[in-house]
Amino acid sequence: MPPSQPTPAEPSSRHVPVMLDRVVALLAPALSHPGAVLVDATLGLGGHSEAFLRACPEARLVGLDRDPEALRLAGERLAPYADRSTLVHAVYDELPQVLADLDIPAIDGILFDLGVSSMQLDEAERGFAYAQDAPLDMRMDNTAPTTAADILNTYSSADLARILFQYGEEKFSRRIADRIVKARETEPFTNSARLSELVRDSIPQAARRTGGHPAKRTFQALRIEVNGELEVLRRALPSAVAALALHGRIVVMSYHSLEDRIAKQTLAAATKTDVPDDLPVIPAGHEPYLKLLTRGAERPTEEELAANPRATSVRVRAAERVREKGLVA
């Protein structure tokens, strides 16, 4: 969910939506009829939603976000479209309940712009950025109970190594975890600078020369664990596909390989039939119920990367529902 450096006062000035034109082009064909419903499952500061409401004047928006501050700022940005917008404090795996509460039987489009938002990255006190000293928080919803500091100060060395390896793909996870446990015996972890320094010192000098900041993978792993991001995504994507109306579309924007793998597997599973491969004819009602709209994962253009560095790692996948009923992957 990245971009641009903030000007604190105006939400629109602190958020450059990633691959905006392409995302609008992928979803807009499903949103051109009266009463069309778009769900922005990761509303953030509302940049994508604003573009959709402008481009699709007959569409209605349901915007979800787990961050109360993001909802407040997005509400200010989307105020001109208040008659067509409903903003809900919810995590995106709560989509079925949100739609039931709003009496919406099916949706025509849904966007997932995954990961940490621009606002969360740019506000040092949220503790997401490894490059500046801040409290080790990392909660996308600041009303949630568990912070990154709680994890660092209570998880066993084995559990810390597991999340660093699984969620951060950190080769030196065991070494970093052991040093965290030893260091917290002297003083609990509270701020990011101390953790960042420990991680840097735990990684051999030769391995620090490539791959960006040495603490990047550790901070990513902690953020994913704090917010349960991958478990939430595994629940949310099948629910989103199930909620699509006929010819409804889904777009997923991922920023690291773990998210993208889940998106790829979920969408690909729904493009396959549920009958044996050697059956000469697919019986009616057993055809695939999704059609992929992207060939593999699409990447940003060179022009966008030059203007918007935080778009560097984005991968976009999209699909359209082509059959009314079917088993959900």
Side-chain angles (χ1 to χ4, degrees), residues 135-159:
L136 283 162
D137 191 320
M138 300 193 195
R139 292 172 297 172
M140 291 179 177
D141 179 352
N142 57 17
T143 67
T146 303
T147 67
D150 295 329
I151 289 169
L152 288 165
N153 293 321
T154 62
Y155 277 31
S156 68
S157 178
D159 283 339

Side-chain angles (χ1 to χ4, degrees), residues 14 27 36 107 120 125 127 166 185 217 249 291 306-307 312:
R14 48 196 289 188
L27 282 174
I107 60 177
Q120 291 160 343
E125 67 271 15
Q166 288 183 355
E185 292 174 359
R217 293 178 295 277
R249 294 185 170 199
K291 176 182 72 175
T312 300

Side-chain angles (χ1 to χ4, degrees), residues 11-160:
S12 60
S13 69
R14 48 196 289 188
H15 177 48
V16 179
V18 171
M19 291 183 70
L20 181 62
D21 292 343
R22 181 56 178 149
V23 170
V24 171
L26 285 166
L27 282 174
L31 303 171
S32 59
H33 60 278
V37 176
L38 167 70
V39 173
D40 188 338
T42 48
L43 183 65
L45 292 175
H48 286 105
S49 286
E50 182 181 44
F52 280 110
L53 288 166
R54 187 185 303 122
C56 307
E58 297 187 287
R60 168 188 176 190
L61 168 73
V62 177
L64 313 184
D65 207 289
R66 65 171 79 189
D67 188 334
E69 180 64 6
L71 283 172
R72 183 186 70 79
L73 292 170
E76 293 176 3
R77 181 176 195 158
L78 301 177
Y81 308 98
D83 60 329
R84 293 193 283 133
S85 303
T86 303
L87 308 187
V88 183
H89 181 218
V91 185
Y92 41 77
D93 67 338
E94 299 174 285
L95 176 67
Q97 188 59 53
V98 170
L99 296 180
D101 291 345
L102 296 174
D103 197 24
I104 297 174
I107 60 177
D108 301 283
I110 185 164
L111 172 66
F112 289 86
D113 185 9
L114 301 171
V116 63
S117 75
S118 297
M119 178 191 72
Q120 291 160 343
L121 279 173
D122 289 333
E123 294 183 353
E125 67 271 15
R126 302 296 291 270
F128 287 100
Y130 42 77
Q132 45 193 332
D133 194 23
L136 283 162
D137 191 320
M138 300 193 195
R139 292 172 297 172
M140 291 179 177
D141 179 352
N142 57 17
T143 67
T146 303
T147 67
D150 295 329
I151 289 169
L152 288 165
N153 293 321
T154 62
Y155 277 31
S156 68
S157 178
D159 283 339
L160 286 170

